[in-house]
Amino acid sequence: MRKKRLVFMAISLTIILLLAGCGTSEKETVGTKTKDEETFKVGLEAGYAPFNWTQKDDSNGGVKIDGSAEYAGGYDVEIAKKIAEGLGKKLVIVKTEWDGLVPALTSGKIDAIIAGMSPTAERKKTIDFSDIYYKSNLVMVVKKGGKYETATSIQDFSGAKITAQLNTFHYSVIDQIKGVNKQPAMDNFPAMRVALESGVIDGYVSERPEGVSAESANKNYKMVEFTDGFKTSDDDTAIAVGVKKGSSLTDEINKILSGISEEERSSIMDTAIKNQPAAN
């Protein structure tokens, strides 16, 4: 009798454990699926003001960075919020280094790249892009009061120590300056600003909003706009949302972007420049 009872108890316990295991597995699967369906995961550097930056709280519409106590703000974040709202999903910001954005997208870690990224021909080989959500010109950021402050042509920078961000078309256009002292590319804009401040470089190439941002953030910086500037293609100076190849999100995002007028986009950028943290 005792042996039978022990066998019965062992069988019962096994069944309970199996059922519990099945229940947990099913719950986790459903839970993960629900989470994925309800979120819109966006990758960006959070270090390219006024397009995107890192801040300590949710002021001025900042969105909490996934897995961090910090928040992200800026033009890209505002556009991401509008897209997430249009998709009916919760926006999740995934702070990612520039070089890691495309791999994060193709691996499924994020759903989209909204990071001031240009839809270049090279990038289009790997990922798809939405319609353009911003277009800008290239400028040079230099030290205020320095010898390059009054430059009007890119050729005025012959002999100057110039750099740009790694793996961007900004870095490749430096070759258009005859006799330029091209410096190694840098990982991000904060690093370039520090290099400029310390005299390691004479200037760096950026898009106009970042140049305006640099001037606003530090009185020692000066943005130089050109009458004889860099030769670029429309894709180079445009900015679009990066998505996976063949993603169904492309059409949905394009529909949402079409509902944001040029006037509203300009207003969002002006506000981003005004609200950028001084440290960026």
Side-chain angles (χ1 to χ4, degrees), residues 6 25 42 62 107 139-140 144 149 185 195 232-233 249-250 273 276:
L6 288 173
S25 177
V42 169
S107 68
V139 299
M140 191 80 76
K144 190 172 184 178
E149 181 181 8
T232 61
S233 69
L249 282 174
T250 307
I273 292 172
Q276 63 176 334

Side-chain angles (χ1 to χ4, degrees), residues 18 36 42-44 73 86 138 142 149 165 191 254 260 262 267:
L18 285 172
D36 287 345
V42 169
L44 47 77
L138 291 183
V142 301
E149 181 181 8
Q165 188 177 27
N254 285 341
I260 309 173
E262 287 300 321
S267 177

Side-chain angles (χ1 to χ4, degrees), residues 208-250:
R208 190 179 185 280
E210 195 281 333
V212 174
S213 172
E215 277 190 336
S216 301
N218 191 321
K219 63 181 181 180
N220 294 321
Y221 298 146
K222 172 67 177 177
M223 177 185 69
V224 174
E225 297 185 83
F226 303 107
T227 53
D228 178 20
F230 294 105
K231 290 179 173 57
T232 61
S233 69
D234 287 341
D235 282 351
D236 284 338
T237 52
I239 291 171
V241 179
V243 293
K244 269 187 177 183
K245 278 285 186 184
S247 174
S248 60
L249 282 174
T250 307

Side-chain angles (χ1 to χ4, degrees), residues 77-103:
V77 174
E78 293 303 314
I79 294 296
K81 284 160 70 173
K82 287 185 175 295
I83 293 174
E85 182 181 1
L87 294 172
K89 297 184 178 184
K90 178 185 176 183
L91 175 62
V92 175
I93 297 293
V94 182
K95 187 174 181 178
T96 310
E97 290 296 325
W98 179 260
D99 279 356
L101 286 170
V102 172

Side-chain angles (χ1 to χ4, degrees), residues 13-258:
L13 182 59
T14 301
I15 292 172
I16 291 170
L17 290 173
L18 285 172
L19 288 174
C22 291
T24 302
S25 177
E26 183 179 357
K27 184 177 180 181
E28 288 175 352
T29 302
V30 172
T32 302
K33 182 179 179 182
T34 301
K35 183 178 179 181
D36 287 345
E37 287 179 347
E38 293 181 349
T39 59
F40 178 51
K41 295 174 289 184
V42 169
L44 47 77
E45 288 178 281
Y48 181 35
F51 287 98
N52 54 76
W53 64 70
T54 300
Q55 58 188 53
K56 297 188 181 300
D57 54 40
D58 62 357
S59 59
N60 300 315
V63 176
K64 196 170 187 301
I65 296 171
D66 190 43
S68 169
E70 296 179 311
Y71 293 74
Y75 183 81
D76 289 328
V77 174
E78 293 303 314
I79 294 296
K81 284 160 70 173
K82 287 185 175 295
I83 293 174
E85 182 181 1
L87 294 172
K89 297 184 178 184
K90 178 185 176 183
L91 175 62
V92 175
I93 297 293
V94 182
K95 187 174 181 178
T96 310
E97 290 296 325
W98 179 260
D99 279 356
L101 286 170
V102 172
L105 178 63
T106 56
S107 68
K109 183 179 179 181
I110 57 176
D111 300 313
I113 298 170
I114 306 181
M117 181 173 280
S118 300
T120 62
E122 187 64 29
R123 292 189 183 116
K124 286 179 179 178
K125 294 177 183 178
T126 308
I127 62 176
D128 286 342
F129 285 93
S130 71
D131 292 337
I132 294 166
Y133 69 87
Y134 196 81
K135 189 172 176 64
S136 183
N137 296 321
L138 291 183
V139 299
M140 191 80 76
V141 178
V142 301
K143 264 193 172 182
K144 190 172 184 178
K147 64 183 289 187
Y148 299 104
E149 181 181 8
T150 58
T152 58
S153 166
I154 60 172
Q155 303 310 331
D156 292 334
F157 286 89
S158 178
K161 295 178 290 185
I162 304 299
T163 191
Q165 188 177 27
L166 184 68
N167 291 331
T168 66
F169 84 98
H170 300 170
Y171 191 66
S172 64
V173 300
I174 295 174
D175 296 329
Q176 294 178 26
I177 304 172
K178 296 176 183 177
V180 70
N181 186 354
K182 189 176 184 180
Q183 299 296 297
M186 296 189 177
D187 289 335
N188 51 57
F189 282 83
M192 286 188 282
R193 292 187 184 184
V194 171
L196 179 61
E197 183 84 47
S198 62
V200 172
I201 59 172
D202 295 314
Y204 66 84
V205 180
S206 77
E207 290 171 77
R208 190 179 185 280
E210 195 281 333
V212 174
S213 172
E215 277 190 336
S216 301
N218 191 321
K219 63 181 181 180
N220 294 321
Y221 298 146
K222 172 67 177 177
M223 177 185 69
V224 174
E225 297 185 83
F226 303 107
T227 53
D228 178 20
F230 294 105
K231 290 179 173 57
T232 61
S233 69
D234 287 341
D235 282 351
D236 284 338
T237 52
I239 291 171
V241 179
V243 293
K244 269 187 177 183
K245 278 285 186 184
S247 174
S248 60
L249 282 174
T250 307
D251 290 339
E252 295 180 78
I253 290 173
N254 285 341
K255 184 177 180 181
I256 296 165
L257 290 176
S258 68

